[in-house]
C-alpha cells in the first residue's frame, strides 16, 4: 500500500516587497539579490497574520466534509510558535472545525519541523490505512531591517493531507538523517528575529546534504540517475543550487541538465515568496509538480530537508497519477500575482509593528486584511482569531 501526500495547498499574505527595490534601498547591486541570492520578491507578513491563521488559510483549500471525519492527527511544524505551551495545532483544529477525537501537536527543529511531521504521519497512516493526517509547515522568517539576512526573509504556510493511496506523491519510509549540535542559526526565547552565522550556515547546509545523500545511496543502492528531480529546503534559491551543484559531478550531462531544469521549476514559487522556514521544501515540491511538464507518474523525486541547529534528512517520493492539478496551480499563481507591492518604507513599518513579546491587550486593524482567517489581537492574554464566512 502506498502512503503519502494526497492533497497540498499553500497560503502567503497579500503583500510583497521587490528585491530590486530592497537592494537599491540598501545600497547593494540588485544583481546580488536577484542573481547572487536568486530572490525576486519576498512576502511581507502583516501583523494580522500569524502561523495559525496562515496555516488555516492554506488548509482551507484541502479540508472538506469527506476528509474532515477521517483526519485524527494534526502535526504543526513551526519555529514561529504563538505560545510556549499551547500548540498552534489546537488553534488550527478549532478554526478548521476538525474532529475533536484528534491528536494535535506542534513539532520544532528550525526548518525541519514539517518533515518530522510528514514522516510521523506517513508511518501512522501506514499502520492505520483508513486514517488521514494533516501536516503543516508554517513560519515567518525574520532577521531584521538592514541585516545580511534581510533578503532571505518571507513567510507563509503549506498544508498537506497524508493518506493511503495518495493522488500526488508516495513515500516508502526509507530516509537518511543526520543531526549535530551546532550554532549556525537560532532564535532565543526573548527575540522575534533569528541570530545567524550566515556563511557558516551555508557550509553546514551543503555538508549535511552531502552526508545524508551519501548515506541514502548506501542504504538504498540508488544513484543520481534514478532521480528525475532533486528539490531542497530553500532558505533562498541559490542555497539549493549550491547543494545541487555539489552532486552534479555524479550525473551524466543529460541527467545534469534534467536536474538543473527541474530545480528551476521547483524554485519558481520560492523566488517570489522568500523563506518560509518549515514550509520551504514543500513549497518547492508544489512549484515542481505544478510547473515541470516533463514529469510523469512513477518519476522519483529526491527531497532534502534541513533545519539549522542542525538536522538534515534525505528521502525520495514517487509521483502518483494525480500529481498535476491545473486548478491548484492557477490558484497559487493568481494568489502570487494578486499580491500588492509595498515600498521599502511601508515594509519597514509593517516589520516593526510585528506583535512584540510583551503582555497586554492588543487590537489589530483586520479590515486591511482580506484573508478568511485573521488574527484580531489579544484579550486577557488570549489570542483572538476570526473566521470570515
Ligand atoms: P551576504 O554576506 O550579504 O552575501 O549574505 P554574499 O556576499 O555571500 O553574497 C551572496 C551571493 O551573491 C554570493 O554568491 C556573491 O558572489 C553573489 P555565492 O558566492 O554564494 O555563490 N553576488 C553577486 N552576484 C551577482 N551580481 C552581483 C553580486 N554581488 C554578490 N553584483 C547570506 C548572504 C545568505 C549569508 C545572508 O543573506 C544570510 O545570512 N541569510 C540567512 C541565513 C541563511 O539563509 N542560510 C542558509 C543556510 S541555513 C538554512 O537553510 C536554515 C534556515 O532556513 C533556518 C532554519 O532552519 O530555520 C536559514
Amino acid at each position: 500500500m502506498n502512503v503519502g501526500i494526497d492533497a497540498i495547498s499553500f497560503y502567503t499574505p497579500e503583500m510583497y516587497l521587490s528585491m530590486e527595490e530592497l537592494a537599491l534601498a540598501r545600497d547593494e547591486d540588485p544583481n546580488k539579490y536577484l542573481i547572487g541570492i536568486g530572490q525576486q520578491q519576498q512576502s511581507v507578513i502583516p501583523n494580522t497574520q500569524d502561523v495559525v491563521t496562515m496555516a488555516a488559510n492554506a488548509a482551507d483549500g484541502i479540508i472538506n466534509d469527506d476528509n474532515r471525519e477521517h483526519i485524527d492527527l494534526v502535526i504543526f511544524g513551526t519555529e514561529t510558535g504563538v505560545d510556549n505551551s499551547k500548540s498552534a495545532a489546537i488553534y488550527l483544529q478549532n478554526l478548521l472545525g476538525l474532529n475533536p477525537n484528534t491528536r494535535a501537536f506542534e513539532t520544532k527543529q528550525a526548518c525541519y519541523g514539517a518533515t518530522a511531521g510528514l514522516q510521523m504521519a506517513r508511518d501512522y497512516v501506514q499502520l492505520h490505512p483508513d486514517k488521514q493526517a494533516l501536516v503543516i509547515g508554517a513560519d515567518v522568517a525574520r532577521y531584521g531591517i538592514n541585516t545580511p539576512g534581510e533578503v532571505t526573509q518571507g513567510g507563509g504556510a503549506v498544508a498537506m493531507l497524508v493518506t493511503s493511496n495518495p493522488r500526488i506523491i508516495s513515500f516508502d519510509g526509507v530516509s537518511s538523517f543526520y543531526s549535530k549540535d551546532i550554532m549556525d542559526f537560532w532564535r532565543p526565547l526573548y527575540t522575534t528575529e533569528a541570530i545567524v552565522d550566515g556563511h557558516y550556515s551555508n557550509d553546514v547546509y551543503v555538508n549535511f546534504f552531502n552526508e545524508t545523500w551519501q548515506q541514502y545511496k548506501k542504504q538504498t543502492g540508488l544513484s543520481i540517475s534514478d532521480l528525475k528531480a532533486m528539490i531542497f529546503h530553500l532558505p533562498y534559491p541559490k542555497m539549493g543550487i549550491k547543494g545541487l551543484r555539489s552532486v552534479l559531478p555524479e550525473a551524466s550531462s543529460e541527467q545534469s541538465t534534467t536536474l538543473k531544469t527541474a530545480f528551476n521549476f521547483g524554485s519558481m514559487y520560492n523566488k517570489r515568496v522568500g523563506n518560509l522556514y518549515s514550509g520551504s521544501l514543500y513549497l518547492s515540491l508544489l512549484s515542481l509538480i505544478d510547473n515541470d511538464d516533463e514529469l510523469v507518474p512513477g518519476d522519483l523525486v529526491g527531497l532534502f530537508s534541513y533545519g539549522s541547529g542542525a538536522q538534515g534528512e534525505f528521502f525520495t517520493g514517487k509521483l502518483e497519477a494525480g500529481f498535476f492539478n491545473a486548478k491548484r496551480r492557477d490558484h497559487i499563481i493568481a494568489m502570487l500575482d494578486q499580491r500588492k507591492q509595498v515600498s521599502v518604507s511601508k515594509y519597514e513599518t509593517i516589520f516593526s509593528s510585528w506583535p512584540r513579546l510583551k503582555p497586554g491587550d492588543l487590537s489589530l486593524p483586520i479590515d486591511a486584511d482580506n484573508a478568511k482567517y485573521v488574527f484580531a489581537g489579544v484579550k486577557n492574554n488570549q489570542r483572538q482569531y476570526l473566521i470570515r464566512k
Side-chain angles (χ1 to χ4, degrees):
M1 184 194 58
N2 288 341
V3 176
I5 301 172
D6 183 67
I8 180 166
S9 59
F10 166 65
Y11 172 79
T12 196
E14 299 163 329
M15 292 178 286
Y16 78 90
L17 177 65
S18 146
M19 290 302 96
E20 190 171 353
E21 287 195 3
L22 182 66
L24 294 172
R26 300 298 177 245
D27 221 8
E28 294 279 7
D29 180 346
N31 282 339
K32 174 176 174 183
Y33 289 6
L34 300 173
I35 299 168
I37 295 289
Q39 199 66 45
Q40 291 163 354
Q41 301 172 348
Q42 168 179 113
S43 283
V44 173
I45 316 303
N47 54 17
T48 47
Q49 290 292 322
D50 64 13
V51 290
V52 171
T53 56
M54 290 196 296
N57 285 313
D60 200 58
I62 55 172
I63 299 298
N64 54 45
D65 290 341
D66 285 343
N67 56 35
R68 202 174 260 119
E69 67 179 285
H70 295 291
I71 296 172
D72 70 352
L73 177 63
V74 179
I75 309 181
F76 199 122
T78 187
E79 55 176 300
T80 325
V82 296
D83 193 290
N84 283 330
S85 178
K86 179 168 173 166
S87 84
I90 299 279
Y91 286 112
L92 182 68
Q93 179 193 17
N94 174 47
L95 289 176
L96 295 175
L98 298 179
N99 182 357
N101 300 115
T102 294
R103 285 186 178 128
F105 54 91
E106 206 171 285
T107 51
K108 178 179 70 185
Q109 175 27 59
C111 301
Y112 174 77
T115 299
L118 179 64
Q119 298 292 11
M120 267 189 262
R122 196 215 77 91
D123 292 351
Y124 175 70
V125 174
Q126 187 79 47
L127 271 178
H128 308 279
D130 55 324
K131 305 289 189 189
Q132 302 191 354
L134 177 64
V135 178
I136 302 292
D139 274 301
V140 182
R142 288 170 62 87
Y143 293 90
I145 293 170
N146 220 340
T147 60
E150 185 179 35
V151 60
T152 65
Q153 295 178 150
V158 175
M160 299 175 276
L161 190 68
V162 176
T163 70
S164 54
N165 303 316
R167 283 172 293 180
I168 297 179
I169 189 167
S170 58
F171 304 109
D172 61 7
V174 181
S175 288
S176 56
F177 21 81
Y178 185 67
S179 61
K180 195 170 177 186
D181 182 1
I182 53 153
M183 300 304 279
D184 60 333
F185 164 109
W186 65 104
R187 186 167 67 82
L189 291 175
Y190 51 78
T191 170
T192 54
E193 282 83 55
I195 300 172
V196 62
D197 187 343
H199 292 277
Y200 176 54
S201 73
N202 291 347
D203 294 343
V204 177
Y205 175 113
V206 174
N207 291 342
F208 271 54
F209 169 55
N210 287 310
E211 178 69 36
T212 52
W213 167 238
Q214 295 306 333
Q215 203 182 306
Y216 185 81
K217 283 189 299 180
K218 268 192 215 140
Q219 268 172 244
T220 59
L222 293 175
S223 74
I224 200 161
S225 61
D226 293 301
L227 302 180
K228 284 292 179 308
M230 255 195 196
I231 55 170
F232 293 81
H233 162 55
L234 290 180
Y236 58 98
K238 181 73 159 295
M239 186 71 256
I241 296 174
K242 286 176 194 247
L244 181 63
R245 274 188 195 147
S246 71
V247 293
L248 285 183
E250 297 174 25
S252 65
S253 70
E254 195 189 329
Q255 169 77 355
S256 180
T257 307
T258 302
L259 292 176
K260 282 192 270 189
T261 307
F263 177 86
N264 288 336
F265 284 119
S267 51
M268 280 169 67
Y269 294 162
N270 305 68
K271 278 183 179 164
R272 301 184 64 184
V273 174
N275 199 353
L276 55 149
Y277 291 159
S278 55
S280 294
L281 170 63
Y282 302 100
L283 181 61
S284 177
L285 175 64
L286 254 173
S287 188
L288 178 78
I289 60 177
D290 280 2
N291 296 295
D292 186 346
D293 57 18
E294 293 289 312
L295 293 172
V296 292
D299 282 350
L300 211 55
V301 176
L303 297 94
F304 174 60
S305 179
Y306 178 74
S308 283
Q311 176 71 52
E313 178 159 343
F314 187 89
F315 56 110
T316 60
K318 182 167 69 73
L319 293 180
E320 296 293 338
F323 77 87
F324 178 70
N325 179 332
K327 220 168 123 192
R328 179 188 65 213
R329 180 200 55 195
D330 294 349
H331 170 74
I332 292 179
I333 293 173
M335 179 171 60
L336 295 175
D337 287 349
Q338 283 161 15
R339 289 176 307 167
K340 194 170 139 231
Q341 183 177 344
V342 292
S343 65
V344 174
S345 67
K346 173 93 176 163
Y347 138 73
E348 289 177 352
T349 306
I350 295 169
F351 187 94
S352 307
S353 72
W354 184 254
R356 312 300 301 181
L357 301 173
K358 61 181 184 197
D361 283 1
L362 181 69
S363 177
L364 293 169
I366 54 167
D367 288 349
D369 187 332
N370 297 306
K372 177 167 176 183
Y373 299 88
V374 290
F375 170 50
V378 177
K379 219 186 210 169
N380 302 327
N381 294 308
Q382 297 176 21
R383 295 180 84 80
Q384 308 293 311
Y385 291 111
L386 287 184
I387 309 176
R388 296 191 175 115
K389 295 293 167 205

